[in-house]
DNA sequence: CTGAAAGCGCTTACAG
DNA sequence: CTGAAAGCGCTTACAG
């Protein structure tokens, strides 16, 4: 960890130039995709020298010169995901890396001052978010001139989710619907959109407006939530944790699922395959969402070889609970 | 998003200097904690000007000058956490921010080339990790001269976890132990240490070596795993998902838990409070782990006001499964 | 108590 | 086809 501890100083473009017997300008040009302006043999010399020295350009120098960095920031929602973050962002990381861009994650929330500082400091090319930007976030992005892309840029995914849950319940014959939020609203960034979509489906089907529930992941809360219902309800749940908790509470109360109570979850977490009966839920690739946001971002940034946004398909996982 | 779209160009230290009628050198000094070298009134002028212009120093300029950035990178393990990432890193973010350092998250894994590039590019002050660094990672850190801190820097937490699980099972009277890994080893970065600790407890207690199981989160795998056991075993599980799956499989087989089979999980995820019987598991604050790693890092970096590493206490959550 | 100067590593217009 | 020069924003030794 000491400077003289054995590791060589990182090579600079000047080192590469010297090693190759050329100027820094030439090194820079060749390494930035303008090799064709030079004699092939010159380009080779540069490449070899860079290789031999393990040269990595300094982000600082580049940033200073260009006024913007090669970073792309992804804001992580304040939620527990069923999926690994890794699985979600793997492809995004790769796609960006192919373009010389580096993905860096940042917890959303925190103070907006922090975001402001981060933008000022990193001067990222873009900010991606898996949940809608808040008003404050949007304003800061605009002020700093950093383009931001979220899940609402390309239609409202969460409305689709709520709609699909509700339509499934209606198709299964439930005439009274409810939407069950996760009580801690910090963890429920998507709930509002989904609840509203459920209400719309009800209205369209000529059903009464949905009952709105909120619970934490424990049996007391779940039991109380059931008190607000009568047998015959179909419940669209914020996520599988909520659905499994309601399933357990219903069992203790002697309500039969799916006869007395319909339950549809969201996420298809591993444990939803282990309940009895298996949970009916919705599955989708969060990684597709991330790639979708990314693709739209790259298009907007004018990358000519931007990937086409993959479709986000929501699939019903047929279980025994609705 | 256009440069002329209305947002002002970010202010530079030169702007602040001009606004305050002073030199850039003075601005820099005052803003970097050397205000006492100047007339109080001068310092005031600088502060006010910076405030009025919404000045944020450019990371690039600073980085170039100092040769190291104000970033600290945290590597996120390839695991699904029971807890929110936010809850884990909130305090770390704050503590770092107080010292003018910015936390940035990075998925661990990925190729080691990527890490190398990241280090070369960001020149972070330190890299923290919630799982032990791999050999390759450790080498790259050393080569780049970036200090790295992981969960083994201060004793082996995972050994503690495995030991506690095993000791609990032994204390409850189980004479044959097993350790149940999560099959997908990408998601099992901690399994090896824990299994070994279980084996040590067995040896110390004069019990046979533990049976080693591996399963995915589904009933087929769990049923197969049970085949390798006989009634009377106590199983230390990699996490609560594994434990709950085994609990369900045992129920289907007609084994009584905890009489025929003892189960102890790890993490105390919300759903572990909803099973029947309630899962016996281990709870700890992952945020304490993160803060612990951070505190050790700050001490090593020679910050004089480094926080003292908080103790990481592992608590048995008494349930009905062991 | 304050400022002029140098230089961190990079890239891009320009000159040859 | 290649190189010398300027400048991005910052901080630190130095001079006054």
């Amino acid at each position: 960890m000491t400077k003289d501890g054995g590791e060589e100083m990182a090579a600079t473009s000047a080192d590469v130039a010297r090693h190759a017997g050329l100027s820094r300008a030439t090194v820079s040009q060749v390494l930035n995709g303008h090799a064709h302006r030079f004699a092939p043999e010159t380009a080779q010399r540069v490449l070899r020298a860079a290789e031999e020295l393990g040269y990595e350009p300094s982000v600082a120098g580049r940033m200073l010169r260009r006024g913007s960095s090669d970073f792309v920031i992804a804001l992580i929602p304040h939620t527990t995901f069923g999926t690994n973050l890794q699985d979600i962002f793997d492809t995004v990381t790769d796609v960006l890396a192919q373009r010389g861009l580096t993905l860096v994650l940042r917890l959303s929330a925190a103070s907006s001052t922090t975001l402001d500082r981060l933008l000022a400091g990193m001067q990222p090319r873009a900010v991606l978010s898996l949940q809608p930007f808040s008003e404050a976030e949007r304003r800061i992005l605009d002020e700093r001139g950093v383009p931001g892309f979220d899940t609402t840029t390309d239609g409202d995914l969460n409305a689709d989710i709520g709609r699909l849950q509700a339509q499934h319940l209606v198709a299964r014959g439930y005439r009274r619907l409810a939407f069950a939020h996760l009580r801690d609203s910090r963890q429920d960034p998507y709930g509002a959109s989904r609840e509203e979509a459920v209400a719309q489906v009800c209205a369209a089907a000529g059903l009464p407006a949905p009952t709105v529930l909120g619970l934490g992941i424990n049996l007391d809360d779940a039991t109380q939530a059931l008190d607000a219902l009568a047998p015959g309800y179909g419940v669209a749940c914020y996520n599988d944790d909520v659905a499994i908790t309601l399933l357990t509470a219903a069992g203790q109360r002697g309500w039969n699922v799916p006869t007395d109570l319909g339950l549809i979850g969201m996420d298809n977490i591993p444990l939803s395959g282990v309940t009895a009966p298996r949970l009916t839920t919705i599955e989708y690739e969060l990684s597709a969402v991330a790639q979708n946001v990314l693709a739209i971002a790259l298009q907007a940034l004018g990358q000519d070889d931007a990937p086409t946004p993959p479709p986000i398909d929501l699939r019903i996982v047929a279980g025994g609970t609705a």
Side-chain angles (χ1 to χ4, degrees), chain A:
Chain A
M1 285 180 210
T2 54
K3 273 296 171 202
D4 50 6
E7 84 279 3
E8 324 82 65
M9 255 349 250
T12 71
S13 76
D15 295 329
V16 176
R18 203 172 313 122
H19 197 73
L22 294 162
S23 77
R24 282 154 72 219
T26 304
V27 169
S28 180
Q29 303 253 45
V30 169
L31 260 29
N32 285 290
H34 302 305
H36 60 276
R37 297 182 190 159
F38 296 83
E41 127 95 19
T42 304
Q44 275 308 317
R45 288 230 306 276
V46 171
L47 262 17
R48 191 160 343 111
E51 169 77 38
E52 284 175 18
L53 270 48
Y55 172 68
E56 290 291 345
S58 144
V59 170
R62 202 173 238 175
M63 216 162 141
L64 202 50
R65 174 64 226 231
R66 299 219 273 231
S68 122
S69 74
D70 291 332
F71 291 118
V72 169
I73 298 176
L75 261 34
I76 307 174
H78 193 219
T79 325
T80 315
F81 292 117
T83 332
N84 267 347
L85 272 183
Q86 203 99 23
D87 291 333
I88 299 172
F89 286 112
D90 258 355
T91 310
V92 172
T93 307
D94 287 350
V95 171
L96 287 173
Q98 281 165 25
R99 288 166 173 73
L101 299 172
T102 302
L103 180 71
V104 146
L105 304 181
R106 176 74 192 179
L107 301 170
S108 73
S111 65
S112 28
T113 343
T114 316
L115 178 62
D116 195 43
R117 265 227 295 264
L118 192 68
L119 296 187
M122 307 230 333
Q123 292 164 264
R125 294 280 188 87
V127 175
L128 315 180
S129 174
L130 290 188
Q131 74 186 22
F133 291 117
S134 69
E135 297 250 334
E137 287 171 337
R138 181 53 80 189
R139 184 161 23 80
I140 290 171
L141 286 168
D142 285 350
E143 271 172 15
R144 292 278 170 200
V146 177
F149 305 89
D150 64 21
T151 44
T152 63
T153 310
D154 181 38
D156 188 347
L157 176 65
N158 282 291
D160 292 343
I161 291 169
R163 193 175 310 121
L164 189 57
Q165 288 181 312
Q167 285 168 345
H168 180 80
L169 290 171
V170 170
R172 304 293 285 179
Y174 298 96
R175 310 311 295 162
R176 282 292 277 141
L177 301 198
F179 185 83
H181 288 272
L182 185 57
R183 166 83 51 68
D184 181 348
S185 67
R186 286 184 323 168
Q187 305 202 38
D188 184 13
Y190 309 123
S193 292
R194 296 188 193 166
E195 179 195 322
E196 196 183 317
V198 171
Q200 283 171 3
V201 170
C202 286
L207 301 180
T211 302
V212 176
L213 310 173
L215 60 146
I217 305 305
N218 62 75
L219 291 176
D220 285 348
D221 278 13
T223 303
Q224 272 192 340
L226 291 183
D227 287 341
L229 305 178
Y233 267 80
V235 186
C237 300
Y238 177 71
N239 65 14
D240 287 345
D241 278 13
V242 170
I244 291 173
T245 306
L246 286 172
L247 176 61
T248 308
Q252 292 190 349
R253 168 165 299 206
W255 286 10
N256 180 277
V257 175
T259 325
D260 299 329
L261 183 71
L263 291 171
I264 180 166
M266 170 67 209
D267 282 348
N268 193 29
I269 63 171
L271 283 180
S272 71
V274 171
T275 58
R278 197 225 184 282
L279 191 66
T280 298
T281 184
I282 292 180
E283 174 181 55
Y284 75 136
E285 306 296 335
L286 207 36
S287 67
V289 177
Q291 288 172 53
N292 195 276
V293 174
L294 171 67
I296 290 169
L298 290 177
Q299 284 179 354
L301 292 178
Q303 296 254 350
D304 31 308
D305 56 343
T308 37
I312 300 168
D313 50 311
L314 301 168
R315 296 178 296 280
I316 297 270
V317 177
T321 62

